[in-house]
Amino acid sequence: MIHNELKTRVVGINVNVHDTTCAVVDIRGNILGQCSFVTSDYEFVGDFVAALSEHIMQLAEEHGGYESIRSVGISIPSGNFKTGCIENAPNLPWKGVVPLAAMLRDQLGLAVALANNAYVMALGEQAFGAAHGMRDFILISLGSGMGSCICCNGVSHLGSNGFAGEIGHTCVNPNGRECGCGKHGCLETYTAARGIVQTAVELMAESSEPSKMREVEQLTPAIITELCEQGDALAIETYRRVGYILGVGLANYASVLNPEAFVFAGQVSKAGNWLLEPACKSFEKHVFHNAEGKVKLVLSTIDDDVRNVLGASVLAWEVKEYSLFK
Ligand SMILES: [Zn+2]
């Protein structure tokens, strides 16, 4: 059979709590066009899917037509690649288990795959970014939470139910801070945004050293980073403490998995070396001796928004069957 209808494009979608971005991407990873809308405008998931389809159809129309689109990939918080569902996402408006991939597939008549943000970030970094050419690396996403994706021998590891990589909820202190997940001492209670601010607040209470952090009403990791640049000693000490605990968590992870590198992405990773230098020092101190000096800690080389839609496009190319989910 001669197949004349070459599908040369896919749609990559990045959904986060605030907004949703759709992009038409060609086989070389060029973003041909994109559009965004506000995620939280849609209280009901059915309305969200209808709006999303409309945006995709219009975008396809403007960039080569519906016929040229092969498939769709979605990056979404708590997305499970194995089931095509969003599963109990704490920060999205739609509760419980939502079969988003199947819903969008039925609406569009195209194959749809979805996965969680860290998984898609890893695909994006592997195809176009800091992890290019690496077969064994761990993507660490640092933002309001801490997620990860383990890429093992070139393939992302999902685990038997699709939940692998929850490094943010590994325990670094059994008597430590209370986590949103209900447990105590989870790594992300120290290394994600809220935990970093909490460490800064604790430091200010412990010492009488002057610091510009004391004058800020709503501290954020970005403000603390800015004050580090200005030489603020307590701000620098905040990231030193955060980095120390991060290094312990990464060392445990590396001792088990022996990766070539950790690749850092997400808003909090913009602290750069203020965070990575102390993390690296602590990492070398705690990792099993055979891995000492062998694991790289590197920052993502692509802008978050671009990487996430490109990663979603890689996911789209990997969809093989139209009816992946019931
Ligand atoms: Zn937790």
Side-chain angles (χ1 to χ4, degrees):
M1 186 179 84
I2 298 167
H3 208 292
N4 291 321
E5 212 181 277
L6 262 187
K7 308 272 189 189
T8 56
R9 285 150 196 206
V10 292
V11 175
I13 300 168
N14 182 40
V15 182
N16 64 41
V17 179
H18 307 291
D19 44 40
T20 295
T21 304
C22 316
V24 172
V25 183
D26 72 10
I27 42 175
R28 294 176 192 275
N30 296 308
I31 296 174
L32 304 176
Q34 64 177 53
C35 65
S36 295
F37 61 95
V38 178
T39 311
S40 51
D41 276 355
Y42 302 92
E43 190 188 338
F44 302 104
V45 72
D47 297 339
F48 173 75
V49 171
L52 183 56
S53 317
E54 224 166 274
H55 278 95
I56 292 169
M57 291 307 267
Q58 196 184 336
L59 204 59
E61 232 25 77
E62 292 162 7
H63 301 278
Y66 174 82
E67 291 305 315
S68 70
I69 306 291
R70 180 186 178 275
S71 46
V72 179
I74 309 175
S75 166
I76 191 159
S78 305
N80 187 335
F81 178 76
K82 289 204 166 188
T83 61
C85 295
I86 319 167
E87 304 196 1
N88 308 307
N91 301 317
L92 290 174
W94 322 301
K95 300 304 166 204
V97 177
V98 181
L100 185 70
M103 290 171 81
L104 189 64
R105 174 202 64 198
D106 292 347
Q107 193 108 23
L108 286 173
L110 291 169
V112 178
L114 66 76
N116 73 52
N117 311 77
Y119 184 89
V120 172
M121 284 173 164
L123 291 178
E125 290 295 335
Q126 193 180 23
F128 305 106
H132 195 73
M134 288 186 193
R135 295 186 63 77
D136 293 276
F137 70 96
I138 296 168
L139 185 290
I140 302 282
S141 160
L142 279 175
S144 55
M146 179 182 191
S148 82
C149 178
I150 306 150
C151 183
C152 189
N153 202 18
V155 179
S156 294
H157 178 76
L158 289 159
S160 75
N161 301 107
F163 303 129
E166 287 289 1
I167 189 188
H169 300 286
T170 55
C171 184
V172 284
N173 179 1
N175 302 311
R177 294 174 181 172
E178 196 177 341
C179 183
C181 76
K183 317 263 185 211
H184 283 264
C186 290
L187 185 57
E188 76 169 38
T189 65
Y190 300 91
T191 58
R194 204 184 310 154
I196 295 170
V197 171
Q198 191 176 338
T199 298
V201 170
E202 284 172 8
L203 262 169
M204 287 189 280
E206 275 170 32
S207 101
S208 53
E209 194 169 336
S211 167
K212 283 200 182 145
M213 292 201 298
R214 298 183 194 279
E215 297 157 25
V216 181
E217 206 174 307
Q218 282 271 324
L219 266 181
T220 63
I223 294 171
I224 300 171
T225 303
E226 207 181 295
L227 294 175
C228 288
E229 306 283 349
Q230 294 174 23
D232 190 291
L234 274 193
I236 293 169
E237 176 61 13
T238 299
Y239 274 122
R240 200 198 58 75
R241 281 200 189 179
V242 172
Y244 180 84
I245 296 179
L246 177 61
V248 172
L250 298 179
N252 288 337
Y253 218 2
S255 297
V256 176
L257 293 165
N258 187 23
E260 177 180 348
F262 286 98
V263 178
F264 294 86
Q267 282 304 313
V268 166
S269 69
K270 294 197 170 32
N273 282 340
W274 297 111
L275 176 64
L276 289 199
E277 262 172 33
C280 190
K281 216 165 151 187
S282 163
F283 176 84
E284 296 297 351
K285 192 174 161 197
H286 294 101
V287 78
F288 182 62
H289 56 80
N290 281 352
E292 247 180 87
K294 293 198 177 82
V295 185
K296 290 175 271 196
L297 273 57
V298 296
L299 287 170
S300 159
T301 50
I302 331 174
D303 191 62
D304 280 330
D305 298 337
V306 174
R307 180 216 315 108
N308 296 351
V309 291
L310 285 182
S313 78
V314 175
L315 188 66
W317 286 113
E318 287 181 0
V319 189
K320 288 195 176 67
E321 292 170 50
Y322 174 78
S323 312
L324 201 53
F325 310 106
K326 285 187 196 110

